[in-house]
Amino acid sequence: MKKGKIECNPDNCFLTKNCLKEWLPSVLQHKKTFKVKKGETIFKEGDQVTGVFFVNAGNVKIHKRWDADKELIIRFAKEGSILGHRGLGDVAVYPVSATALENGIVCYIDMEFFEATLKVNSEFTYKLLKFFAEELRESEKKMRNLAHMPVKGRVAEALITLKNQFGLTNSGFLNIDLSRQDLASFAGATYETVFRVINELVHDKLVALSGKSISIANYDNLLKLTVQGA
């Protein structure tokens, strides 16, 4: 990551939006801001925990090794999201990796100052607790889907999740630049299987394609796949 005099937007930061105004000068003194390039690793699974990151611009995938040559994408993070918080606790290694999906900006706070921030800022701690709870619910849902939902339902669920998180472009396509491999990793399937399922969804007029971009053509029927596991 490239460090420099990079201006970041405090309105896009999970930390600065939720901490005390009196604490902001300390945050500005301690935080470091980095430019990241598309495909660049922000931190890697198994690395020693040194601090916590916040996405100020761009999108990031949070992923975990599935086996020797596969990964499972746990979630995606966009502007205003926190990264590296899973490293909190007694086991001081990151249990997941974070990789930039596009050029962006991340801010970094070392763990000592982050823990001090938690003790001083009750509102920030409360918001972080709620975020942890929501993330845990989503993780449990994802594990249940991997165990019980057919792959077509998982792909449909992934597309709906992306729509809800990132919205749509003016042309009606999912507002995230995502490779088919990343979509497969998010759905917990192989590239070949997702390629086949996407073609089936296009044939059934549930989604439409334009190059790598995907639009949802029939939201209600796509949603039914996640409910029925069809």
Side-chain angles (χ1 to χ4, degrees):
M1 293 183 289
K2 183 179 179 181
K3 182 183 175 185
K5 291 185 177 181
I6 306 165
E7 293 295 329
C8 63
N9 185 353
D11 295 332
N12 283 350
C13 180
F14 183 83
L15 173 57
T16 55
K17 284 194 301 184
N18 295 298
C19 73
L20 296 167
K21 288 190 293 185
E22 295 81 359
W23 192 250
L24 283 176
S26 294
V27 173
L28 295 175
Q29 181 181 354
H30 283 84
K31 77 179 180 73
K32 300 174 182 177
T33 306
F34 299 91
K35 287 183 178 179
V36 293
K37 295 181 179 180
K38 180 178 180 179
E40 185 173 1
T41 299
I42 299 169
F43 57 82
K44 188 171 61 177
E45 182 179 351
D47 283 351
Q48 192 77 19
V49 172
T50 58
V52 176
F53 297 82
F54 299 90
V55 182
N56 200 260
N59 297 317
V60 176
K61 66 177 180 180
I62 293 84
H63 50 104
K64 190 173 182 65
R65 287 192 296 269
W66 191 353
D67 57 27
D69 58 350
K70 294 180 183 177
E71 68 175 22
L72 179 66
I73 294 178
I74 307 298
R75 68 181 179 95
F76 294 99
K78 60 180 182 178
E79 293 179 1
S81 297
I82 184 172
L83 306 171
H85 56 284
R86 288 172 175 252
L88 289 168
D90 295 332
V91 181
V93 296
Y94 294 112
V96 294
S97 301
T99 303
L101 288 172
E102 60 192 48
N103 295 342
I105 299 172
V106 297
C107 297
Y108 168 83
I109 297 291
D110 67 68
M111 191 56 71
E112 182 178 359
F113 180 75
F114 182 73
E115 290 178 350
T117 299
L118 292 175
K119 294 172 183 176
V120 171
N121 295 268
S122 58
E123 180 67 16
F124 173 70
T125 304
Y126 174 65
K127 291 287 181 65
L128 183 61
L129 179 62
K130 290 181 66 176
F131 175 76
F132 264 120
E134 179 62 27
E135 189 178 47
L136 178 60
R137 281 194 293 269
E138 289 299 316
S139 293
E140 290 173 341
K141 179 181 177 182
K142 194 174 188 68
M143 292 305 103
R144 182 196 65 203
N145 289 347
L146 284 172
H148 301 292
M149 184 182 284
V151 67
K152 184 178 283 189
R154 299 205 304 272
V155 172
E157 176 88 15
L159 294 174
I160 290 171
T161 298
L162 293 171
K163 175 186 178 295
N164 291 339
Q165 182 174 2
F166 296 98
L168 302 174
T169 66
N170 292 334
S171 302
F173 294 95
L174 296 177
N175 192 24
I176 180 173
D177 184 12
L178 200 64
S179 70
R180 292 291 186 269
Q181 182 58 62
D182 280 340
L183 178 60
S185 297
F186 189 44
T190 64
Y191 173 90
E192 293 78 12
T193 300
V194 167
F195 182 83
R196 173 179 57 79
V197 168
I198 290 293
N199 285 337
E200 291 176 2
L201 295 177
V202 170
H203 180 268
D204 295 337
K205 298 183 179 180
L206 301 185
V207 304
L209 303 179
S210 177
K212 294 195 302 180
S213 300
I214 301 176
S215 66
I216 296 176
N218 191 323
Y219 181 89
D220 291 339
N221 284 344
L222 191 68
L223 184 62
K224 286 179 182 179
L225 295 179
T226 70
V227 176
Q228 300 174 353

